[in-house]
């Protein structure tokens, strides 16, 4: 059982943020939490209501704030996700609402979102689709960075949809172009039938972890299983997404799909396999692991040779 060193008893006066952070960081590190110091700073800043970058300039913590920090630290040591404790998750230039029932967006997915933004930039009134949208991270990042884009976010989970709609409303209220939220199963053969042949950029961060993989406790106990696991080989959702992308994309449109780091060959092969795509490219994340694959819908409307070669690009 993990316990926090107790803060000094009442009557000894306020506690400096640096002192509280050091104590919490030691406890989180002992519990096996990675980046313990950073997370301790995030929790302390959250309790004090200040940006983490201004923590050193913040007022001392009083007894009530220390008690609250201790409780949050105990829950984090029990492997409740940091984002569930603060209710927020950063993603590119966004600060999103997250909590039970929705997958917490990961930093590596920012690479896919950034690729999508660059692909849509310069196109006239681009239509961008985000499949398996979850919290709406990818869709809302695109809408914020490309105000001229029409962005459609697709999600099937009622719990995730609640968070998606909440984030969409928050961003619209902040002045971003509103996105369109569609409740649908991305594996449906008639998905987004009204958009067939008209999508410029299609992005997807699907459930892709193979069913037998043991995931960290933050994932196993808190991320929805349907947003994490993708069947025996992790490709159960990706296969129909690739097939539907070929129908939805206009000639010259592009698709990007995030995948497990064991899928560095499998997903590009799926994109290259039926001949609808060209320029199939495998991308690495910042740690050098395979992370997402991209391709372009053939501009001539024809099929490329089956099993066409694909290339690797670092991101």
């Amino acid at each position: 059982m993990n316990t926090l060193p107790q803060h000094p008893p009442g009557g000894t006066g306020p506690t400096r943020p640096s002192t509280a952070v050091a104590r919490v960081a030691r406890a989180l590190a002992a519990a096996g939490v990675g980046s313990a110091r950073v997370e301790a700073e995030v929790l302390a800043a959250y309790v004090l209501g200040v940006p983490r970058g201004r923590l050193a300039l913040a007022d001392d913590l009083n007894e009530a704030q220390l008690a609250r920090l201790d409780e949050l630290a105990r829950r984090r040591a029990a492997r409740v996700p940091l984002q569930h404790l603060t209710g927020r998750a950063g993603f590119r230039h966004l600060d999103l609402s997250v909590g039970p029932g929705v997958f917490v967006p990961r930093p590596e997915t920012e690479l896919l979102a950034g690729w999508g933004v660059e692909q849509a930039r310069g196109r006239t009134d681009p239509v961008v689709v985000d499949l398996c949208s979850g919290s709406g991270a990818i869709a809302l990042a695109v809408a914020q960075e490309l105000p001229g884009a029409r962005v459609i976010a697709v999600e099937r989970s009622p719990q995730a949809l609640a968070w998606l709609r909440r984030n969409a409303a928050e961003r619209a209220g902040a002045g971003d172009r509103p996105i369109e939220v569609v409740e649908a199963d991305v594996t449906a053969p008639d998905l987004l039938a009204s958009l067939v042949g008209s999508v410029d950029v299609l992005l997807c961060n699907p459930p892709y972890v193979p069913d037998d993989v043991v995931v960290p406790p933050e994932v196993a106990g808190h991320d929805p299983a349907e947003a994490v696991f993708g069947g025996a080989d992790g490709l159960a959702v990706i296969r129909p997404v690739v097939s539907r992308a070929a129908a939805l994309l206009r000639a010259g449109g592009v698709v990007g799909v995030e995948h497990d780091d064991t899928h560095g060959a499998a997903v590009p092969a799926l994109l290259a396999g039926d001949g609808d795509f060209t320029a199939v490219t495998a991308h690495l994340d910042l740690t050098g692991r395979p992370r997402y694959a991209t391709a372009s819908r053939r501009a001539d409307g024809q099929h490329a040779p089956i099993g066409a070669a694909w290339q690797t690009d670092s991101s």
Side-chain angles (χ1 to χ4, degrees):
M1 178 177 179
N2 297 304
T3 59
L4 283 169
Q6 293 300 301
H7 61 265
T12 59
T15 300
R16 288 298 303 150
S18 58
T19 301
V21 164
R23 181 169 53 82
V24 169
R26 287 194 295 272
L28 295 184
V33 174
S35 304
R37 175 77 187 193
V38 170
E39 296 206 10
E41 291 176 354
V42 170
L43 289 175
Y46 172 67
V47 168
L48 285 164
V50 300
R52 178 181 159 223
R54 296 189 61 82
L55 191 58
L57 304 176
D59 293 336
D60 294 350
L61 288 90
N62 59 34
E63 285 293 311
Q65 290 170 325
L66 283 171
R68 187 182 182 201
L69 178 60
D70 282 353
E71 175 58 24
L72 291 171
R74 288 190 186 94
R75 293 177 64 194
R76 182 65 189 106
R79 310 310 286 269
V80 175
L82 177 68
Q83 296 87 350
H84 283 203
L85 298 176
T86 64
R88 312 297 295 181
F91 189 85
R92 288 182 69 84
H93 309 296
L94 301 174
D95 184 42
L96 302 170
S97 294
V98 295
V102 71
F103 184 81
V104 174
R106 289 353 190 225
E108 53 265 30
T109 305
E110 295 184 19
L111 296 174
L112 176 62
W115 178 87
V117 168
E118 290 309 309
Q119 293 296 315
R121 196 185 305 278
R123 297 181 185 234
T124 302
D125 301 323
V127 176
V128 180
V129 169
D130 172 29
L131 302 182
C132 304
S133 190
S135 65
I138 292 176
L140 292 168
V142 173
Q144 182 188 58
E145 297 175 46
L146 294 176
R150 177 190 175 192
V151 181
I152 300 98
V154 181
E155 175 58 51
R156 76 171 188 178
S157 163
Q159 293 78 21
L161 277 164
W163 290 103
L164 171 55
R165 290 186 173 115
R166 174 177 174 178
N167 284 318
E170 287 182 1
R171 292 314 313 164
D176 293 351
R177 177 171 175 173
I179 66 170
E180 300 168 38
V181 176
V182 176
E183 180 176 2
D185 185 337
V186 302
T187 67
D190 60 348
L191 176 70
L192 301 177
S194 64
L195 293 179
V196 167
S198 64
V199 175
D200 293 284
V201 179
L202 186 146
L203 304 170
C204 183
N205 179 19
Y208 55 64
V209 177
D211 288 345
D212 61 355
V213 172
V214 177
V215 295
E218 289 88 346
V219 177
H222 300 279
D223 278 325
E226 68 175 316
V228 175
F229 297 103
D233 62 359
L235 299 171
V237 176
I238 292 178
R239 288 190 184 93
V241 162
V242 168
S243 176
R244 192 57 179 164
L248 290 171
L249 290 170
R250 68 172 72 250
V254 294
V255 57
V257 181
E258 185 170 321
H259 56 70
D260 191 68
D261 57 16
T262 63
H263 294 151
V267 174
L270 285 174
L271 288 165
D274 65 6
D276 289 321
F277 296 102
T278 187
V280 177
T281 306
H283 300 260
L284 307 180
D285 63 21
L286 297 179
T287 68
R289 296 172 180 167
R291 184 54 55 201
Y292 67 101
T294 63
S296 176
R297 187 70 168 87
R298 288 183 62 85
D300 57 11
Q302 302 300 311
H303 287 283
I306 299 299
W310 46 273
Q311 62 183 350
T312 299
D313 187 25
S314 59
S315 297

